Amino acid sequence: MRALELSLEGFTSFRSRETLDFSELDLFAITGPTGAGKTSLLDAITFALYGHVARFGKDATAKELVSLGSQNLKVSFRFSVRGVEYRVTRTWRDRPKTPESKVLLEWFQNDTWEKLETKNVTKRVEQVLAMDYDTFTRVILLPQGKFDEFIKGNKVKRREILRDLAGFQIFERMRQQAQGQADGLKKEYQILERQLEELELPSAEIFAEKQQHLNTFEQQIPKFNQAVLKAQKALDEEETLLKQIERLNELRSQLEGLVARSGKIEEYKLQLQQSQAADQIKDTYALVKAARDRFKKAQADVVSAQKTLTQATQELEQNKTKLNQVTEYQKQVEPQFKVREEALNSARNYEEQRQQHQTELTRNRQTLSQRQKNLALAKQELGDAEKKLEAASHQVKEAEKELTQYSPGGIRLEKLQEVSPRFGSYKLLQEQTENFRQKLDKIILERQKLEKKYQEYLAKSEKAKAVFQEKQKLLQEAEAANNLALQSNHAAALRQTLHDGDNCPVCNGTYITAQLLSLPDIEQVDTTELLSQKEGVEQEYTATEKAITKAETNLENSKQKEAEAQQEFANSEEQLTNLKQEISSVLETEGWEINALNQEFKALQESDRLYHQTLTKQKDVAARVRETQQALEATRKTHTLALEECNQAQQDTQRWEQQLQEVETKLHEITGGKSYVELQTELEKDKQRLEKQLKQVTEGYQTAEKKAIRCEAEDKKARDDADAARLQEQQMESTWQVALVSEGFTEDSFLAARTDSKQQTFWKGEISDYETARVEVEIRVEEAKLQVGDRTTNSSTIQSLRDAKVAADGQLKLAQNQLAQLMAWIQYAQSKQKQAEKRQEELSLLKTQVDTYTNLARSLKTDEFQAFALEHLERELVTRATHVLQELTDSRYALRIQDGDYLVEDNWNGGELRRVQTLSGGETFAASLSMALALSEKLSMGAELGSLFLDEGFGTLDADTLETVYQILQSLRQQDRLIGVITHVKALGERLPQVKVYKRPEGSRIEVEIF
């Protein structure tokens, strides 16, 4: 698995969206202050893949991981496996009732992301990575500090750490599950035994007797069944006869009802006959009615056409009168239009002159306004220039006065400038030396506490060891007494089986009762409590040994830290002394204090700066006075020129105003105060109005004339249509009267006889149904008479037959019930027998399963099994770690195990063997890292390991150790893996590309620094 990109939002300390791109990284450091969120980056990866976080366990929920105050959480992780890119995204949103969680697994196919899984995402991820959650956290996330403790601890401590790292807790879980399964099966076995005892099986004699009764009833039931059938047949025949007699009486009643309806049916027949006769002449009636309607409509059209023609003639006369009036008016106003046009031409000439004069006047007024502004501006600039000259002269005097207050720094300032760069280093070394001294005091105090704690653990261990030996001795004595009691019991049991003269299987002698010694009466001791006490003391003793190992390791580390701190303090003091001598040499004095020197240097710097600043200011002000004098002369010339131009512009404006007044007076005399445009507009409007009026009247006359002609034609057509309709109506009336006489109708009787097809259909249906029903009932009456004949019956006869049938049914049911009870009893007895056999088989199977799980739990409980597995795993790890260590150290070191202790073989010193505790910090890092990588490869079971994340476990590193660790990490870069190192050592982080995690109030932030 190769990590490509991680995006997280609302996850632990990362409130806002942060994205970490791994594509440009191979070996890098993850740095940042405590609590910034370095480990949260690894937690986010495991959460995205498996929905769990290693620090919180598998039971942790998303609500525990969401940023404080946030309502949403989102983590997206993109990675590749065997060249295929995948992306898994998990989101969580807080809601009032139930939070909402979603997860999506995608893969990159055909240049796009396609959905791969949304339900069983975790299971699909395990298939893709070939690793479950536990394996992933042990293979990809390596706790470097824990492996350091592993290789330096004693054998007991190493076994505990290896059990934890390799996940051997599974054996204890397996033992507990096996024991739980055995206990559950024992309970099932006891339940089956009770169920078997509760089954009450009948004896063979009772079963044979019940079987004999069953055979008897099986022989009697066919006879009872035949009697029931015979009684049922007689009853059915009598009941059928009674129904036939009742049916005959019912049919006779129906026939009488039909005879009563015959009068109504005859009336229907007469109405139907008249309606059918009317249908014969209904078409003729439709034609005559249509002719009548057409004649009435034609008469109405004649009246309407005459009215329309009269209106059209009147409109034509009115429009002709209007046309004559407008034509006469046009002849009168045409001479007036010519006079107005001549006056308009004269006004146009004067209007053009007025516009030219107005334009010139406007231009001169603008020129006058601009020159007045220029004059005012020149006057203001002249005043400003005079004020600036006065102010500059005053500034020259002030600068000369201020210059007398300061002096240059001189030689003293030059010396202080030479040593000033060392002031910061001197103060920093002072603070560093004090910090190293405080750190040394703190480490010494911590070492003293650890020594005290180590001694306390030693005393506690001796005490626990004594108690353990005492409990072990008591248990051994109790077990010896139990063995003696067991032997005595075996001897007593053997005597019970032998008789005088028998050959003894133990001593091979002749058994004689009189010669036997009496056996001692020895009771067995219950060792359960002693075993429990011994195990408790043993656990306490083991825990104390672990604590001693840990305390010893901590004490050694503390001593090493103390030596390192003493060296740091001495180096810092030496640097401080050398720097003080350098400063004294430059200043040529010994008695100085750094803060006083700094203040003196700043004061001299400030005085020298003010002196040169004031000198520069004096020169600038003198130059400004000269510039101001020159500007004043130029401004005075500008003011004089502006005044002359303003006077000339005022004279031109007055001349053009007089000429404009003369032209406007003449124009007013011609137009009467109106403008040329207004006069021209009025003339055009009058002409257009007359032309429009003439056009409207002409169009109205033409329209009225066309309408009158059209109305005359329509009137003539309406009169012709009316004459034709009257002739047709007379012809149809003659034909209609002939048709009425032929069918024997008057027009009123014809209209009364007319009916629709629905009514005729009703009459036909009623007549047909009546005739059909009467024939059918008459036939059924004859059939019923033939069926009944001269036979009779009554209810008493039928009741006696029913009583006989009930008696036969009673005998049959009684026999059947007794037969069913016997069959149920026999089936129940047979079922019990099968249950007993089945329970016996289940008991045998459960007995085998109980023994199997009990033996499995007992085997998993023994220390030998886990010890064998751990020892085998440890030797495999050492072998693989040696190969890795040789790669990391250029074949210098190899790991070895002797008598349960870890040793290193130094091939640069002739294969010398020494304890791992003697390794330097960098060498220890290489050894523990090789073990971590070996366990990672072992647990991965061949899965692709494209990414590893290490927690280097150091608090500080000296220069040599830092260089060694850096070179070891560089060697990992050559293995084509993504290696991330979580480090608190600033110097180590600065030598690698960094993923910096910043801690901020608004949420942590990620910044990648690649060089």
Side-chain angles (χ1 to χ4, degrees), residues 870-886:
L870 286 171
E871 183 178 356
H872 182 72
L873 174 62
E874 189 174 9
R875 293 192 177 278
E876 281 189 25
L877 293 179
V878 170
T879 302
R880 176 55 190 157
T882 295
H883 294 298
V884 177
L885 183 59
Q886 287 176 342

Side-chain angles (χ1 to χ4, degrees), residues 513-719:
T513 305
Q515 296 179 357
L516 295 177
L517 300 175
S518 60
L519 294 174
D521 187 11
I522 303 173
E523 295 183 358
Q524 282 196 342
V525 180
D526 186 2
T527 60
T528 303
E529 181 66 24
L530 289 174
L531 278 171
S532 176
Q533 293 177 359
K534 182 243 183 185
E535 290 176 356
V537 173
E538 185 177 9
Q539 291 177 357
E540 182 179 357
Y541 176 63
T542 303
T544 306
E545 286 294 314
K546 293 179 182 178
I548 290 174
T549 302
K550 186 175 182 179
E552 185 179 4
T553 303
N554 293 337
L555 182 58
E556 290 179 359
N557 291 336
S558 180
K559 289 179 179 179
Q560 184 178 355
K561 289 180 180 179
E562 182 179 352
E564 293 172 354
Q566 287 177 344
Q567 184 62 38
E568 289 175 343
F569 178 67
N571 293 338
S572 182
E573 272 194 330
E574 183 180 356
Q575 293 175 3
L576 183 62
T577 302
N578 294 336
L579 183 58
K580 188 174 182 179
Q581 291 176 356
E582 291 178 7
I583 295 174
S584 299
S585 175
V586 174
L587 296 178
E588 299 178 355
T589 180
E590 294 293 337
W592 52 269
E593 196 271 326
I594 190 65
N595 291 329
L597 283 180
N598 197 20
Q599 292 176 1
E600 181 186 0
F601 175 62
K602 291 180 179 179
L604 288 175
Q605 267 188 329
E606 182 65 16
S607 178
D608 187 74
R609 183 186 66 79
L610 292 174
Y611 175 80
H612 288 90
Q613 180 180 340
T614 306
L615 183 61
T616 303
K617 181 179 178 183
Q618 182 191 21
K619 294 178 181 179
D620 293 341
V621 171
R624 197 178 302 121
V625 168
R626 291 191 296 272
E627 293 173 358
T628 306
Q629 289 174 344
Q630 294 173 1
L632 178 59
E633 291 298 326
T635 304
R636 285 174 177 167
K637 293 180 181 179
T638 303
H639 177 266
T640 302
L641 179 61
L643 181 59
E644 294 174 354
E645 290 177 348
C646 183
N647 292 333
Q648 182 63 40
Q650 190 170 7
Q651 293 174 4
D652 293 341
T653 301
Q654 291 174 354
R655 178 169 53 82
W656 282 109
E657 285 177 348
Q658 183 179 0
Q659 293 179 3
L660 178 62
Q661 182 65 33
E662 294 174 355
V663 173
E664 287 180 345
T665 301
K666 292 179 181 179
L667 184 60
H668 186 272
E669 292 174 356
I670 296 173
T671 63
K674 295 182 179 180
S675 65
Y676 168 78
V677 175
E678 290 176 344
L679 292 175
Q680 186 181 21
T681 302
E682 288 178 358
L683 179 59
E684 292 296 328
K685 285 183 178 179
D686 290 342
K687 288 182 177 181
Q688 291 174 1
R689 188 182 302 110
L690 178 60
E691 184 179 355
K692 181 178 181 182
Q693 187 177 7
L694 180 61
K695 182 179 179 182
Q696 289 178 347
V697 171
T698 303
E699 290 176 351
Y701 175 77
Q702 293 174 352
T703 301
E705 187 178 18
K706 291 178 182 178
K707 182 178 180 181
I709 295 171
R710 187 178 69 253
C711 289
E712 287 179 358
E714 289 177 352
D715 178 67
K716 184 178 183 302
K717 183 178 183 299
R719 291 178 184 275

Side-chain angles (χ1 to χ4, degrees), residues 150-153 158 874-886 891-907 911-917 919 927 930-931:
F150 170 77
I151 63 173
K152 288 186 177 180
R158 285 201 308 274
E874 189 174 9
R875 293 192 177 278
E876 281 189 25
L877 293 179
V878 170
T879 302
R880 176 55 190 157
T882 295
H883 294 298
V884 177
L885 183 59
Q886 287 176 342
S891 301
R892 177 178 180 180
Y893 294 116
L895 286 175
R896 298 288 184 263
I897 298 181
Q898 287 187 2
D899 299 329
D901 291 329
Y902 273 78
L903 303 175
V904 289
E905 183 179 275
D906 191 348
N907 294 320
E912 176 188 2
L913 292 175
R914 52 193 176 96
R915 298 177 64 206
V916 293
Q917 286 80 359
L919 294 175
S930 64
M931 287 295 293

Side-chain angles (χ1 to χ4, degrees), residues 444-462 543-556 558-559:
I444 291 173
L445 181 60
E446 181 182 354
R447 189 254 304 160
Q448 292 172 351
K449 291 180 180 178
L450 289 174
E451 286 180 344
K452 182 179 179 182
K453 193 173 184 180
Y454 177 67
Q455 295 299 327
E456 291 174 356
Y457 280 137
L458 286 177
K460 188 175 180 181
S461 175
E462 290 298 327
T544 306
E545 286 294 314
K546 293 179 182 178
I548 290 174
T549 302
K550 186 175 182 179
E552 185 179 4
T553 303
N554 293 337
L555 182 58
E556 290 179 359
S558 180
K559 289 179 179 179

